[in-house]
Amino acid sequence: MSKISNQQGRNVQKSGVSGYTRTVGNDALGQLLSRVQACVISNGNELEKLLINRCSTIDNIDIFIEKVTRSEINQGTFLCTKKILKKTQDYKHVIKGIEPDMIIFIVSDYRLCKIIELKDGDTFDTKKVKGEKTNLVTFSEKFGAKIPFSTDYYVCCFNQNNKEIIREGMKNEFDLEHIMTGRELCQLLNIDYQEIINIRKNDMEENFNYFIEELLKIPEVLEKINQIIVASENK
């Protein structure tokens, strides 16, 4: 889990005040909320790092597929990151402009390729969902036609175990067979799902304490809280 204390928030000098400041009418509080939002956004990257560090990763996608084709790799589950995919020369014209979060290759008696868009949350706006599904379908078709793997695509909402809730959050654009939970993703990668959850929980308490401490440093907030407490005690 990312930490709020590590986030800078919006660069007010460069970009002007944030929507948070306009919403609450207080510069310091708006900036603190902006830092929280930055933390939420970076959680997705942190999640990817946790997964990548616990599974077999591919260093060169072109060489990997070549070795599988030659049957020099016959067994295992391998993860290709977006960063590695960008370096391909053999498939650069096929995948141009579309970069899924991760691709999992399963090599066994059969060959499977699972193209995955990884989400830390589970609710998104319609325009974003439609665009991401279109990209996944296009990538799956074009990339799948060039490699010796049976290929399919998925959206994975890591923290939601109910696929119906995921489907609703994805505006019903994805059917259930193309929805994956975080637990299923970890099973696929032979990773301990609960370990990932526990690691992320460890930073929650620090984030909570830091947020409250920073909140109480804002004079207007502290004054308002004291007023509410006094009013409550006098009832």
Side-chain angles (χ1 to χ4, degrees):
M1 184 72 71
S2 295
K3 296 180 181 179
I4 301 171
S5 58
N6 293 333
Q7 307 300 325
Q8 297 298 316
R10 185 179 178 88
N11 185 335
V12 177
Q13 297 298 324
K14 178 181 178 181
S15 307
V17 298
S18 69
Y20 298 103
T21 296
R22 290 193 296 273
T23 299
V24 299
N26 181 285
D27 291 343
L29 180 55
Q31 188 61 16
L32 178 58
L33 294 173
S34 174
R35 294 174 68 193
V36 172
Q37 176 62 15
C39 186
V40 170
I41 292 172
S42 69
N43 279 339
N45 293 331
E46 292 293 325
L47 174 58
E48 282 189 38
K49 290 178 183 175
L50 286 172
L51 297 175
I52 290 168
N53 289 338
R54 286 165 174 74
C55 60
S56 298
T57 55
I58 295 170
D59 296 327
N60 185 310
I61 184 68
D62 299 339
I63 292 175
F64 171 78
I65 293 177
E66 188 177 327
K67 285 186 174 180
V68 171
T69 304
R70 293 177 179 173
S71 297
E72 295 175 11
I73 297 176
N74 298 306
Q75 194 75 32
T77 299
F78 306 89
L79 175 66
C80 178
T81 63
K82 184 186 298 185
K83 181 179 179 182
I84 295 298
L85 180 65
K86 285 181 178 178
K87 297 179 180 178
T88 181
Q89 293 299 310
D90 294 349
Y91 306 99
K92 62 182 180 182
H93 298 299
V94 176
I95 66 172
K96 190 176 181 181
I98 304 178
E99 299 165 354
D101 288 329
M102 57 178 60
I103 304 175
I104 298 174
F105 294 92
I106 300 171
V107 185
S108 182
D109 295 335
Y110 45 81
R111 295 169 181 169
L112 300 177
C113 171
K114 297 180 181 292
I115 299 160
I116 297 172
E117 198 66 31
L118 179 63
K119 304 295 183 188
D120 198 47
D122 57 32
T123 302
F124 305 91
D125 64 64
T126 302
K127 184 178 180 181
K128 180 179 177 64
V129 172
K130 284 185 175 180
E132 295 214 14
K133 183 183 177 183
T134 297
N135 283 341
L136 281 171
V137 171
T138 300
F139 185 92
S140 179
E141 291 176 350
K142 291 186 175 181
F143 187 57
K146 298 291 184 181
I147 61 174
F149 287 82
S150 176
T151 305
D152 210 344
Y153 67 89
Y154 303 85
V155 62
C156 174
C157 295
F158 193 84
N159 297 295
Q160 179 54 258
N161 290 319
N162 188 321
K163 289 190 177 184
E164 291 290 351
I165 292 177
I166 295 176
R167 180 161 67 175
E168 184 177 342
M170 303 303 289
K171 313 305 180 198
N172 295 311
E173 288 291 332
F174 287 84
D175 51 40
L176 292 178
E177 69 179 78
H178 289 112
I179 290 173
M180 186 180 289
T181 65
R183 191 178 296 278
E184 289 176 327
L185 177 61
C186 286
Q187 287 173 347
L188 202 61
L189 293 170
N190 299 314
I191 291 174
D192 184 344
Y193 174 75
Q194 195 56 48
E195 182 199 6
I196 302 293
I197 296 298
N198 291 340
I199 289 173
R200 305 187 88 202
K201 280 183 178 177
N202 289 337
D203 289 331
M204 289 181 183
E205 183 177 356
E206 182 176 330
N207 275 334
F208 178 84
N209 291 334
Y210 182 83
F211 178 77
I212 297 300
E213 289 169 1
E214 292 298 301
L215 192 64
L216 295 179
K217 289 179 182 177
I218 303 171
E220 295 86 350
V221 172
L222 182 60
E223 181 181 356
K224 189 63 179 179
I225 290 175
N226 286 332
Q227 288 175 1
I228 293 172
I229 292 174
V230 170
S232 175
E233 290 174 343
N234 291 334
K235 282 185 178 177

